[in-house]
Amino acid sequence: MKHLLSAADLSRDDAEQLLTTAAQMHDVQRREVKKLPVLRGRTVVNLFFEDSTRTRSSFEIAGKWLSADVINVSAKGSSVSKGESLRDTVMTVAAMGVDALVIRHHASGAPAQVTDWVDATVVNAGDGTHEHPTQALLDAYTMRTKLGDLAGRRVGIVGDLTHSRVVRSNLILLRTLGAHVTLVAPPTLMPSGIADWAAAEGFSYGYDFDEVLPTLDAVMMLRVQKERMTGGFFPTPREYTVGYGLTRDRLRVLPEHAVICHPGPMNRGLEITADAADEARSLILDQVSAGVAVRMSVLYHLLGGAES
Amino acid sequence: MERPDTAVPRPDAANASGRIVLTEADISRALRRIAHEIIEHNKGVQDLVILGIPTRGEVLAQRIERLLHEIEGTDVPVGSLDVTMYRDDLRSQPTRAVGHTSIPGDGIDDRTVVLVDDVLYSGRTVRAALDALGDLGRPRAVRLAVLVDRGHRELPIRADHVGKNLPTARSERVSVRLAEHDGVEEVRIAASGSEGIR
């Protein structure tokens, strides 16, 4: 495995191995000396063309704990704001002799495009509305810590499916790991062609959250992306909450053993109530903590060995 | 190298080749002697921590711990120390799976750590283990116990407790098989196979 561009790049064995290694990395995270020498002498560049706090900082910490040299380049304050193209920016950075580029870009497919231009390993840290594979890995990792093997488990992904890159990566990875996935969204936020997609990939979808809720082992609430909500997708935030928010009433219907995930940042009171976010069953903070371990595992598997 | 990559039995486990140099009884006697040596050297079992290097070193460490308990009647902390990420040959091979590290709750600071592995060969695994220990704390002393010392050291490292000194040629292969992992209990030596030097 040279790049990680899509959750579809991972076979079940790959995914299992990444998650197993992540568990070992998680142990390292609890040690006093959080440093492993595996990527000594390697350079990782975080190239973020979109704002991000948790993804960028967790990639940065992951790289540093593996002893790589990590450099952050953000679009603001770089030549990108002077009008440099993606290709020129990437080639310039790569020409300095970096080993890996971690790329977040607003255009779907940008990281895949970059692999044609540079020799370095490319990790997709979120591209447009396409994919965010490391988020899917950390979601799966976190769910596994509470639910065990995900094969046969039922996971509901609820919310703004149209604008979410998390949903595609999660769907693919959860299917790879053998889980049953149900997508739930208001009709305006359901991706077009969902029927064909669901039939081809073998997952289910619906518009009624309350019908799906009692059957779930895990519920993943997606953020309502206010910055992308310009098309009148729902009449009022209140109406969204009533139909698709994880409210106090719905918490009572959710099975006792089921866990709650949210990729963050949360809109408390909109897609998730404060009660749900702070519940014991909520894994939201575990997800953040797992983020570093999972990204360490990804960087280790991509850069740790000889090039094959 | 002398270390297996994973817990999976080696491909040659089914069609065993070569000659047996240690039988089940030999292994059992060697471990018992090592346990006695550890106690004698440490003047008891106080402040000892036994750490096995996965996969087979981990099994041996647990057996030694049981023997120590049997002889002295006290529990000795036992754990495992994976050295994969401290190896010096990571770059020359495809990415290896990371093994399991578990350090007993009280840590290793100011304790005497006994590292346990199955075969001592180049010494590079032990060097990696010493580096890994350095990141986990500062033991008062580190000792090394191995079931087989087959020579050909590439680093200035020696074992404190050795089950069996086994003169070998570099081209020969030494395979340790333990009941917990391989279903059989024996140490074999074979002429070089297609797998290369072990």
Side-chain angles (χ1 to χ4, degrees):
Chain A
M1 202 165 55
K2 161 128 194 194
H3 308 293
L4 181 60
L5 302 174
S6 159
D9 295 345
L10 302 172
S11 68
R12 184 157 186 170
D13 283 351
D14 292 336
E16 296 277 355
Q17 193 169 61
L18 280 171
L19 296 174
T20 308
T21 305
Q24 300 301 326
M25 298 296 186
H26 216 156
D27 287 344
V28 172
Q29 217 170 316
R30 298 188 194 104
R31 299 193 333 204
E32 209 168 310
V33 180
K34 300 176 187 65
K35 199 92 169 168
L36 294 165
V38 271
L39 299 185
R40 209 171 47 195
R42 301 257 168 152
T43 306
V44 176
V45 173
N46 282 332
L47 208 51
F48 276 61
F49 296 90
E50 255 188 0
D51 293 338
S52 157
T53 309
R54 64 196 75 206
T55 306
R56 189 186 55 72
S57 49
S58 71
F59 264 112
E60 181 173 358
I61 294 171
K64 286 183 169 166
W65 284 353
L66 294 175
S67 304
D69 293 299
V70 184
I71 293 150
N72 292 306
V73 178
S74 63
K76 290 193 191 96
S78 74
S79 302
V80 177
S81 59
K82 298 176 190 164
E84 192 176 55
S85 71
L86 172 63
R87 184 167 192 269
D88 287 335
T89 305
V90 163
M91 303 266 285
T92 304
V93 171
M96 295 173 193
V98 307
D99 298 290
L101 292 167
V102 177
I103 298 179
R104 151 97 33 123
H105 199 275
H106 45 78
S108 301
Q113 177 75 67
V114 168
T115 60
D116 292 340
W117 297 329
V118 300
D119 288 332
T121 287
V122 175
V123 182
N124 181 0
D127 58 337
T129 57
H130 178 228
E131 281 220 42
H132 192 358
T134 57
Q135 178 71 40
L137 281 164
L138 77 88
D139 290 340
Y141 175 83
T142 317
M143 284 187 257
R144 268 165 53 125
T145 57
K146 290 290 185 301
L147 297 174
D149 190 0
L150 296 182
R153 294 291 195 168
R154 300 189 171 275
V155 182
I157 305 179
V158 185
D160 179 4
L161 305 176
T162 301
H163 299 101
S164 172
R165 53 188 161 223
V166 176
V167 64
R168 182 177 281 100
S169 293
N170 260 304
L171 183 61
I172 296 169
L173 185 68
L174 287 167
R175 298 279 306 129
T176 303
L177 294 171
H180 298 290
V181 182
T182 306
L183 302 185
V184 180
T188 47
L189 289 171
M190 189 64 90
S192 56
I194 182 77
D196 293 340
W197 190 26
E201 289 283 331
F203 64 87
S204 44
Y205 67 101
Y207 303 101
D208 187 350
F209 190 15
D210 294 309
E211 187 188 305
V212 178
L213 196 61
T215 66
L216 297 178
D217 297 302
V219 59
M220 188 179 299
M221 304 305 298
L222 298 178
R223 182 168 70 98
V224 172
Q225 307 198 22
K226 286 177 182 156
E227 68 273 24
R228 290 178 172 132
M229 284 300 139
T230 47
F233 293 101
F234 45 85
T236 62
R238 177 82 195 124
E239 202 157 321
Y240 181 86
T241 308
V242 168
Y244 297 94
L246 191 57
T247 58
R248 200 177 296 178
D249 289 341
R250 289 203 171 96
L251 269 186
R252 281 194 283 270
V253 182
L254 186 69
E256 199 60 41
H257 72 277
V259 296
I260 301 163
C261 296
H262 190 300
M266 288 182 279
N267 296 308
R268 280 175 192 256
L270 183 53
E271 73 266 4
I272 189 165
T273 61
D275 292 348
D278 301 330
E279 267 247 328
R281 292 182 282 172
S282 157
L283 302 180
I284 296 166
L285 283 178
D286 302 79
Q287 284 174 280
V288 179
S289 143
V292 175
V294 163
R295 286 167 182 129
M296 286 170 83
S297 170
V298 166
L299 290 176
Y300 170 68
H301 281 281
L302 292 175
L303 295 175
E307 281 188 25
S308 50
Chain B
M1 305 297 293
E2 72 271 60
R3 305 256 3 278
D5 292 344
T6 59
V8 181
R10 296 189 195 112
D12 61 341
N15 52 338
S17 58
R19 63 191 165 83
I20 295 178
V21 284
L22 289 181
T23 62
E24 185 171 354
D26 293 333
I27 293 173
S28 158
R29 277 193 288 269
L31 290 177
R32 187 166 287 274
R33 177 173 51 76
I34 288 174
H36 278 286
E37 282 181 15
I38 291 171
I39 294 166
E40 188 183 356
H41 201 282
N42 195 58
K43 300 185 173 63
V45 291
Q46 67 281 6
D47 294 334
L48 273 182
V49 177
I50 314 292
L51 293 180
I53 300 174
T55 320
R56 286 167 186 77
E58 197 179 347
V59 174
L60 294 173
Q62 279 155 4
R63 291 197 197 171
I64 288 174
E65 191 275 330
R66 280 199 296 274
L67 289 165
L68 293 175
H69 182 95
E70 193 184 307
I71 299 161
E72 290 287 291
T74 8
D75 283 335
V76 178
V78 61
S80 64
L81 180 70
D82 182 66
V83 303
T84 308
M85 289 187 284
Y86 292 85
R87 304 191 71 92
D88 58 8
D89 59 353
L90 278 176
R91 294 289 160 75
S92 53
Q93 299 184 27
T95 312
R96 288 157 175 259
V98 178
H100 176 66
T101 295
S102 72
I103 302 299
D106 291 339
I108 58 169
D109 284 341
D110 293 321
R111 287 167 173 270
T112 299
V113 172
V114 180
L115 287 174
V116 182
D117 204 359
D118 53 355
V119 182
L120 179 58
Y121 183 21
S122 65
R124 289 178 191 267
T125 301
V126 176
R127 184 212 56 85
L130 291 172
D131 282 356
L133 276 183
D135 281 353
L136 288 166
R138 185 180 182 281
R140 193 175 58 214
V142 182
R143 304 199 187 287
L144 176 62
V146 295
L147 184 58
V148 173
D149 181 351
R150 62 167 293 190
H152 304 290
R153 215 74 77 239
E154 293 164 7
L155 295 168
I157 280 169
R158 65 166 179 79
D160 300 279
H161 311 291
V162 180
K164 169 105 177 146
N165 280 300
L166 202 60
T168 57
R170 275 180 190 273
S171 61
E172 285 171 317
R173 243 171 345 107
V174 174
S175 45
V176 173
R177 298 196 181 106
L178 300 172
E180 291 90 328
H181 266 286
D182 313 284
V184 276
E185 185 87 0
E186 62 185 23
V187 177
R188 276 176 186 271
I189 184 165
S192 145
S194 53
E195 284 175 87
I197 303 165
R198 263 192 52 83

